[in-house]
């Protein structure tokens, strides 16, 4: 039997952990009557209030139509509001309403509780090391994606 590639094992375990975390977050978010997707939107807006819908869609890696549905539900629930963009009349900027603040506090506590259970038995120093090393992996991926974009553009100029 061939030995397994450590690189592939890393990719598989990282994917499995992310999938399980999403599944658990879906379950936990339901107790507040929202979805994991809505939770992600609220948290991102809490960090970067005033984003355009297109900017938020890119940050969350969502199709614009998918984000629009999430925003519609959050707006109908009185948690966010869309405001006109002074510089671009076609664009809307997204803001949290005062009603979102208490929910965000509950979600922050839920997130801490979730991650405490998730990381139970892992030494704090190891967690800090993993966070640091995963930040390097994340930056490597960003660089590779940017390079891919450059390669595609170059290829289009060469062959298009």
């Amino acid at each position: 039997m061939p030995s397994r590639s450590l690189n592939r094992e890393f990719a598989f375990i990282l994917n499995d952990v992310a999938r399980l975390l999403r599944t658990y977050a879906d379950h936990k978010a339901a107790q507040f009557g929202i979805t994991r997707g809505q939770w992600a939107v609220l948290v991102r807006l809490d960090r970067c209030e005033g984003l355009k819908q297109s900017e938020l869609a890119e940050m969350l890696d969502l199709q614009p139509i998918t984000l629009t549905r999430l925003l519609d539900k959050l707006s109908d629930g009185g948690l966010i509001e869309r405001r006109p963009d002074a510089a671009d009349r076609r664009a809307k900027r997204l803001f949290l309403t005062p009603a979102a603040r208490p929910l965000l506090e509950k979600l922050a506590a839920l997130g801490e509780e979730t991650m405490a259970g998730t990381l139970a038995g892992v030494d704090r120093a190891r967690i800090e090391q993993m966070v640091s090393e995963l930040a390097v992996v994340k930056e490597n991926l960003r660089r590779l994606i940017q390079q891919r974009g450059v390669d595609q553009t170059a290829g289009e100029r060469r062959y298009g």
Side-chain angles (χ1 to χ4, degrees):
M1 183 165 170
S3 66
R4 295 183 182 198
S5 160
L6 185 58
N7 290 347
R8 285 191 65 201
E9 287 302 307
F10 176 83
F12 276 107
I13 195 84
L14 187 62
N15 185 61
D16 288 347
V17 167
R19 181 182 47 78
L20 290 168
L21 189 56
R22 286 190 306 269
T23 299
Y24 190 66
D26 279 330
H27 168 73
K28 297 305 268 183
Q31 65 185 285
F32 294 108
I34 64 171
T35 65
R36 176 178 40 89
Q38 291 168 329
W39 184 355
V41 167
L42 290 172
V43 169
R44 189 60 69 161
L45 286 179
D46 189 39
R47 290 181 174 196
C48 307
E49 208 163 5
L51 289 171
K52 291 182 188 179
Q53 286 186 210
S54 59
E55 294 167 336
L56 183 59
E58 186 175 324
M59 284 178 154
L60 296 174
D61 197 24
L62 292 173
Q63 292 297 317
I65 188 69
T66 302
L67 178 61
T68 298
R69 288 186 193 120
L70 291 170
L71 294 174
D72 287 346
K73 288 187 180 202
L74 291 169
S75 180
D76 292 347
L79 298 172
I80 65 153
E81 61 184 14
R82 296 171 170 114
R83 297 181 194 164
D85 184 328
D88 182 354
R89 65 185 177 140
R90 298 168 299 164
K92 300 285 187 207
R93 298 226 172 237
L94 303 166
F95 294 87
L96 297 169
T97 65
R101 299 293 173 195
L103 177 59
L104 277 164
E105 288 177 20
K106 291 176 185 173
L107 290 170
L110 181 63
E112 284 297 319
E113 175 189 311
T114 297
M115 290 314 299
T118 300
L119 295 169
V122 181
D123 182 65
R124 181 161 177 81
R126 298 287 303 241
I127 295 168
E128 289 172 1
Q129 182 180 2
M130 282 190 288
V131 168
S132 176
E133 291 176 1
L134 283 170
V136 172
V137 171
K138 181 178 174 181
E139 193 53 42
N140 288 344
L141 283 167
R142 282 187 180 163
R143 185 179 39 77
L144 289 168
I145 289 168
Q146 287 175 339
Q147 182 64 42
R148 189 181 124 230
V150 169
D151 289 348
Q152 286 178 340
T153 304
E156 289 169 8
R157 276 187 265 131
R158 257 184 276 155
Y159 303 112

